[in-house]
Amino acid sequence: MDKFRMIFQFFQSNQESFMNGICGIMALASTQIYSAFDFNCPCLPRYNLAYGLGILLVPPFILFLLGFVLNNNVSMLAEEWRRPQGQRGKDPAVLRYMFCSMAQRAMIAPVVWVSVTLLDGKCITCAFCTLVPVETLGNASHPSLSQGDMKRVLARIPCKEIYDGQELIANEVAVRYLRCISQALGWCFVLLMTMLAFLVRSLRPCFSQAAFLKSRYWSHYIDIERKLFDETCTEHARSFAKVCIQQFFEGMSADLVAAHCHLPRKAAGDAGEATEKLLGITDWDTMNMVLKSWHRCKPPLHLHPPALPKSGLCCGGCQGRHYQICKTSFLLPRAQCWAVLWV
């Protein structure tokens, strides 16, 4: 169990490298999926275009969504976007930076799929086989066919075993023509994506270095703050459960002693330490109110404690009881506790 915990902590401390590795694995998986996929063009005029474009565009969209699903920062971005304003403002530039960083990683696998599909040429051949210029590549002296019969014959170009239009246009000529166009589009797409990635990764910080550094810093801060808050909640929940269980067994022991079952009572040596870690939050309602207060009004981003509200209100939402709030130091992993009197 400790080994799994160490591995999980390693992944958390190297989250960016881990996500880059996940994106690389997804890119390799997309190529393997395409190579293992059994491409079967329907060879029908009404279905060729939908099937070819569907294979070209639908899997990249699924891979793009999977890239967001596998990214742990999606929930953090949604939480930061939807949280109330409270005592801390929300910078749209930071949210844009976080979204763009996730989108860049999520687009790796779809770009690889589209590139491999275009370079292979089967999808374009299936989708646009009815648009082959017969007048240029085919037999001009062939007896004229109706428009419907012409499309029916050309739609069978991807299916070499059932193609019956050799007198109209050779199957190999049509396939080579469509595959040439598909590969040209594929290399143009690769060049375009490479140039776009170069501009985004290299030139963007040069135009607005200060804004770029600010957005990157606060995006890291939001990530670290959430991790420290989760660690503090986990430690508090462990101490809460420990004290609750100890009180339960102490109560059961007292009942047994009262019933003349003289059992030896063993004093809990860690009870005092666990109680101190609770920071005065020792019941269900208070804990829920603290968590709700964290969501509604996160503390402002300065290290000086704010003045206590005289009206007994916290962000206009909470009032009416005594409890303590654990004020987390966002630059240190420990927590300091200060009490707020609710009128």
Side-chain angles (χ1 to χ4, degrees), residues 47 70 81 83 164 234 280 295 324:
Y47 302 102
L70 295 177
W81 177 47
R83 71 171 177 83
D164 56 355
T234 301
H295 172 69
Q324 291 180 331

Side-chain angles (χ1 to χ4, degrees), residues 80 89-98 101 204-205 207-223 301:
E80 184 66 18
K90 292 186 288 186
D91 191 356
V94 178
L95 299 179
R96 286 196 300 268
Y97 176 83
M98 296 170 61
S101 299
R204 184 182 64 173
F207 291 104
S208 56
Q209 183 68 23
F212 176 76
L213 292 176
K214 182 188 69 172
S215 301
R216 185 171 62 178
Y217 174 84
W218 289 116
S219 66
H220 292 334
Y221 171 83
I222 294 172
D223 186 22
L301 296 176

Side-chain angles (χ1 to χ4, degrees), residues 174-248:
V175 170
R176 285 179 177 270
Y177 173 78
L178 293 172
R179 183 168 294 178
C180 177
I181 295 177
S182 179
Q183 291 178 352
L185 292 175
W187 285 116
C188 290
F189 179 77
V190 172
L191 178 61
L192 178 63
M193 291 294 104
T194 304
M195 293 298 297
L196 183 61
F198 172 77
L199 293 176
V200 171
R201 300 289 293 179
S202 302
L203 299 183
R204 184 182 64 173
C206 299
F207 291 104
S208 56
Q209 183 68 23
F212 176 76
L213 292 176
K214 182 188 69 172
S215 301
R216 185 171 62 178
Y217 174 84
W218 289 116
S219 66
H220 292 334
Y221 171 83
I222 294 172
D223 186 22
I224 294 173
E225 181 189 60
R226 185 186 184 188
K227 290 179 181 178
L228 292 179
F229 182 77
D230 291 341
E231 291 175 3
T232 304
C233 289
T234 301
E235 184 178 0
H236 186 278
R238 184 179 293 109
S239 301
F240 199 115
K242 187 173 184 179
V243 173
C244 184
I245 293 172
Q246 287 176 348
Q247 290 180 354
F248 170 77

